[in-house]
Each structure stands twice: as C-alpha cells, then as structure tokens.
Amino acid sequence: MDFSVDGQRAFAYTAAHELDPAKPTIVFVHGAGLDHSWWGLQSRYFGYHGYNVLAVDLPGHGRSDGAPLASVEAMADWVARLLDAAGIERAALVGHSMGALTAIECAARHPARVARIALLGVAYPMKVSAAFLDAAGRNDPAAFDMDTIWGHAPRVPLGGNPNPGMWMYGDTLARLGRLRPGVLHAGLKACNDYAAGLESAAKVACPVLFILGHRDLMAPPRNAAGLVKAFKSAQTVLLPPAGHSLMAEAPDATLDALIAFFSTETTS
C-alpha cells in the first residue's frame, strides 16, 4: 500500500488487507540496506491473525521514494509521520538492527504513539567497521559480501536451514543488489553515529522485548546487555542457532517469540 509522507511515496506491505481502525497495528521496520520483504513470514502471520500490519520501506529503500534518511532520529520521526499518513493513532513497533534503534528512538520521542516495541538483532552502540563503511561508501560489492557473511551465523553455508532449498547467502546478496547507490552506506553510518540509545531507552515506558541471535556476529548479545538494563523493564529471548538475520535463520522461533509477546497485549 502506498502512502504520502513528506510529499513522497512511502510503501508499506499490509498483508493484502485494508487497514481497520478497530484492530491493533504492528509496524515492522527493516535494517540497513533491507526492505519490507525481510519481514515476509512475520508480517503475513499477524496480518492474517487480527492485526493491521505495516511492513515499511524506509525512504530510498524498496518501493519508497526519496533519499535515505541520515540519522536514526530522522527515521523515528518518519515512522511517526507514516502513522499519521495511515490514519493510525497508536501502534506497536518491531524493528531489526537499524530498525530496532529506530523503534527505541520512536518510542522515546513519541511515547503516546507507541504501544510496545520488539527489538531484533540489536546492540548498542552499533558501531560499524571502517572497512565496511568505506566499501559501502564506494558502492563496492565487497560491502555486500561483508554484510552477507557477517549477517549470518557461521553454520549458514553448511546448510541446515529450516526452509528447504533456501540459499541464505544468495537471497541476501540479491536483496542488496537491488539497492540504489549510497543507500547501504547511509544506513550503516546512521547506526554507527547513533549516540542516544541509553538515554532514549531510559525514557521508554512501554513493554519491550529483545530477540537476539546467539551466533550474531554483527550485534553480539553481550553488546546488548547495557541496552537491556537501560530500559525500565525488558524481556529477552535468545535464539541459539541464529545469527543477525534471525527472521530468516530461525523463522519459526522468531515468530513464536513475537506471538508470545503480543499475546500479553492489553488495550491499556
């Protein structure tokens, strides 16, 4: 479904359903260099089980127009404006990596708009290596290789994915190959530069869930410990076989964790 945000087209996947004001809403926010399709299983499930879903393409990504936003703060405010465009007063946010930082910041800056947040593959600070930033800044395909290899648990090249016939590396490389020049670098730099994580987390009063991959090389669970403590209250689910790409590496376990989290949702 297309919306207009800041005078530009903003796309969000809605699981082929019209938005229903009577239903609760979940907004899915992707990570750097990705798009709404990364949430295929999770967004579709909730869209067919009583929720409005908005799996967004951030500006410059996927089907959304415009230049990529330069900061996590700008992404957080953009999500709030997307809710305005969609006619949604309040929503839960589910974010992955850069999208998780966006969810934290949005909940801190717009508390009346955010009912709860689920944070996948997140760490703070989320620093990016100079080599990775440099390659992405030059649109060097080596950046895609780094993102793909570091973005999955070491077992991925050996097979064993629960999705038969799934080529994890090839899928990720194909997604990254669709990117416009500069988009991956903008997202990585926004993550690297984000400095308000602990301060913003301390402001968040809504329920919080962390879903972390035990074998995550890009955002190791130990690097999320300080962020977990910064929230007033947070649950953590650790997925032993998964790396950074939890939604694809451990799709059922990730979905089960989200279902359990949202099953405790109240109307308050």
Side-chain angles (χ1 to χ4, degrees):
M1 184 178 291
D2 288 334
F3 301 93
S4 178
V5 179
D6 302 329
Q8 295 178 321
R9 180 178 66 167
F11 177 81
Y13 170 71
T14 63
H17 287 71
E18 294 294 326
L19 300 181
D20 181 350
K23 294 180 179 180
T25 300
I26 303 175
V27 178
F28 293 86
V29 188
H30 60 77
L34 300 172
D35 59 34
H36 73 277
S37 65
W38 203 239
W39 297 106
L41 173 65
Q42 296 78 24
S43 59
R44 183 175 176 81
Y45 175 89
F46 284 103
Y48 280 84
H49 288 81
Y51 289 83
N52 296 316
V53 298
L54 293 166
V56 304
D57 284 344
L58 291 168
H61 298 73
R63 303 181 192 176
S64 289
D65 294 336
L69 300 172
S71 70
V72 168
E73 290 85 351
M75 295 175 209
D77 290 341
W78 183 91
V79 169
R81 294 195 297 277
L82 176 74
L83 291 177
D84 290 338
I88 300 296
E89 184 62 30
R90 195 163 184 255
L93 306 181
V94 179
H96 171 243
S97 193
M98 180 182 78
L101 299 180
T102 300
I104 294 168
E105 192 63 25
C106 190
R109 296 165 79 91
H110 307 280
R113 311 296 302 275
V114 180
R116 56 181 53 209
I117 57 175
L119 311 172
L120 285 69
V122 66
Y124 182 81
M126 194 177 286
K127 292 300 182 182
V128 180
S129 72
F132 194 5
L133 277 172
D134 176 67
R138 293 184 285 105
N139 298 302
D140 186 336
F144 297 167
D145 293 338
M146 295 177 198
D147 202 0
T148 300
I149 295 170
W150 296 337
H152 297 87
R155 74 187 183 105
V156 164
L158 305 178
N161 189 272
N163 300 316
M166 181 69 172
W167 182 27
M168 302 291 296
Y169 280 9
D171 178 75
T172 301
L173 286 168
R175 294 171 192 271
L176 293 170
R178 297 198 301 255
L179 285 176
R180 303 165 209 174
V183 171
L184 178 59
H185 179 263
L188 294 176
K189 189 173 187 303
C191 292
N192 188 71
D193 293 349
Y194 181 56
L198 300 182
E199 179 183 353
S200 292
K203 297 176 182 177
V204 174
C206 67
V208 180
L209 171 68
F210 284 79
I211 305 178
L212 306 175
H214 181 67
R215 303 299 301 275
D216 193 334
L217 301 178
M218 298 184 83
R222 65 180 180 275
N223 292 354
L227 189 60
V228 173
K229 292 179 181 178
F231 287 100
K232 295 177 176 64
S233 178
Q235 308 172 47
T236 300
V237 174
L238 187 65
L239 303 184
H244 194 60
S245 304
L246 302 107
M247 301 88 83
E249 293 178 84
D252 293 333
T254 298
L255 179 58
D256 287 345
L258 290 172
I259 291 171
F261 183 55
F262 285 106
S263 71
T264 65
E265 190 169 17
T266 67
T267 57
S268 61

